[in-house]
Amino acid sequence: MTRIKDMSRSQRKVLEACRNGWFMSGEYRALFDDHERRFCADSPKMLFHDVDRWYSLHTENHDEAPVLVKCVQAH
């Protein structure tokens, strides 16, 4: 994983949202503006990579939007 100091601003935003929302392996929901997506993750690192990949597709139009990640169902 990239060191935090080498991450872009949007990656740090996603990392913080994933850290705050992590509970344990399971299904997670990520939200920003009017976008929502669900992810299954077994580790915070996996969750970060999946959410970051998805969020990076939208940063051009939503870079200022706060990101929320929360556990929907623990496994």
Side-chain angles (χ1 to χ4, degrees):
M1 189 159 136
T2 307
R3 296 182 314 183
I4 291 175
K5 72 177 193 172
D6 296 332
M7 289 181 170
S8 69
R9 190 170 137 296
S10 65
Q11 286 177 314
R12 286 192 300 270
K13 185 190 314 186
V14 170
L15 180 66
E16 189 63 30
C18 290
R19 282 183 177 172
N20 290 340
W22 180 257
F23 179 62
M24 63 185 305
S25 65
E27 184 178 352
Y28 284 81
R29 186 172 134 197
L31 305 152
F32 69 93
D33 279 351
D34 59 347
H35 299 277
E36 175 183 337
R37 186 156 176 200
R38 291 180 183 245
F39 301 90
C40 289
D42 292 332
S43 70
K45 187 176 181 180
M46 179 187 286
L47 180 63
F48 166 74
H49 285 295
D50 290 345
V51 174
D52 184 52
R53 215 172 304 130
W54 171 69
Y55 183 70
S56 68
L57 297 173
H58 299 84
T59 55
E60 187 175 305
N61 299 322
H62 302 278
D63 192 36
E64 297 301 318
V67 180
L68 173 66
V69 176
K70 65 180 195 172
C71 185
V72 175
Q73 183 176 13
H75 292 204

